[in-house]
């Protein structure tokens, strides 16, 4: 029905309900500052972005692949990243066509670095870091027992990943 609820992680209560001009919302991502939202909705699936404090209008960025499994929006709302099966989509919110690159794995989770210049992809047993503007791989590594959880921290100098062995790893991307 076009409603998106933002919920507090501290207590689980709804903080805000937004009525957007998008119906049949399938997937949503909110920037870490809480001000921007990315959506996939409708049939065929459309991808778009909008300002949480704005009018509720959603700018259409293009047609999204069906069955996108994970999505992230950069802090500055300049880019949206999606992962669909084994493909990554990098969408420029200021215009221009999306870039599609091989994820190097099937499924997984995706995140942006704080500055929005890099994208981290976590898959079972491995991770990759891509340049958000070009899709080029800047770092990749196989990690035994690594799960799909991933976060880029410290201005993308470190990557945090979880594992099936119940361990959390912090990986120094500059020094291995």
């Amino acid at each position: 029905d076009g409603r998106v609820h933002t919920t507090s992680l501290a207590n689980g209560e709804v903080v805000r309900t937004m009525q957007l001009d998008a119906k049949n919302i399938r997937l949503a991502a909110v920037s870490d500052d809480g001000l921007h939202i990315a959506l996939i909705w409708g049939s065929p699936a459309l991808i778009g972005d909008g300002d949480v404090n704005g009018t509720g209008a959603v700018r259409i960025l293009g047609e999204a692949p069906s069955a996108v499994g994970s999505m992230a929006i950069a802090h500055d709302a300049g880019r949206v990243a999606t992962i669909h099966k084994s493909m990554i989509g990098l969408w420029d919110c200021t215009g221009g066509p999306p870039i599609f690159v091989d994820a190097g794995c099937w499924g997984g989770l995706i995140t942006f670095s704080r500055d929005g210049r890099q994208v981290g992809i976590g898959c079972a047993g491995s991770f990759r870091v891509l340049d958000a503007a070009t899709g080029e791989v800047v770092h990749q590594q196989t990690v035994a027992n690594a799960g799909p959880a991933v976060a880029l921290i410290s201005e993308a100098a470190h990557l945090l990943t979880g594992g099936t062995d119940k361990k959390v790893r912090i990986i120094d991307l500059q020094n291995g």
Side-chain angles (χ1 to χ4, degrees):
D1 65 359
R3 288 185 297 168
V4 175
H5 305 283
T6 54
T7 306
S8 168
L9 292 176
N11 59 22
E13 294 180 11
V14 173
V15 175
R16 174 181 212 152
T17 299
M18 295 163 280
Q19 183 67 42
L20 302 173
D21 62 359
K23 304 294 184 200
N24 301 319
I25 297 169
R26 298 178 188 177
L27 192 61
V30 178
S31 61
D32 60 356
D33 62 3
L35 298 177
H36 304 280
I37 190 165
L39 302 170
I40 293 181
W41 76 96
S43 181
L46 297 174
I47 185 168
D49 72 322
D51 182 347
V52 170
N53 293 321
T55 63
V58 179
R59 176 179 46 194
I60 296 173
L61 302 177
E63 190 171 323
S66 62
V68 169
S70 180
M71 179 170 61
I73 184 169
H75 175 75
D76 66 357
R79 294 199 179 276
V80 172
T82 59
I83 188 164
H84 167 256
K85 296 182 182 175
S86 65
M87 294 300 294
I88 302 294
L90 300 171
W91 306 80
D92 182 348
C93 296
T94 61
I99 299 169
F100 292 99
V101 296
D102 183 5
C105 64
W106 192 266
L109 297 176
I110 194 162
T111 188
F112 277 95
S113 61
R114 180 97 170 128
D115 63 10
R117 295 185 303 181
Q118 295 184 325
V119 177
I121 302 114
C123 300
S126 69
F127 68 85
R128 283 185 170 190
V129 179
L130 307 178
D131 179 288
T134 65
E136 291 181 38
V137 176
V138 295
H139 190 93
Q140 64 183 3
Q141 188 171 334
T142 300
V143 180
N145 300 314
V150 65
L152 289 167
I153 54 177
S154 303
E155 298 304 321
H158 296 87
L159 181 129
L160 178 110
T161 185
T164 57
D165 56 0
K166 299 181 182 177
K167 292 182 181 176
V168 174
R169 295 165 181 83
I170 298 176
I171 298 164
D172 183 336
L173 296 175
Q174 267 66 41
N175 302 311

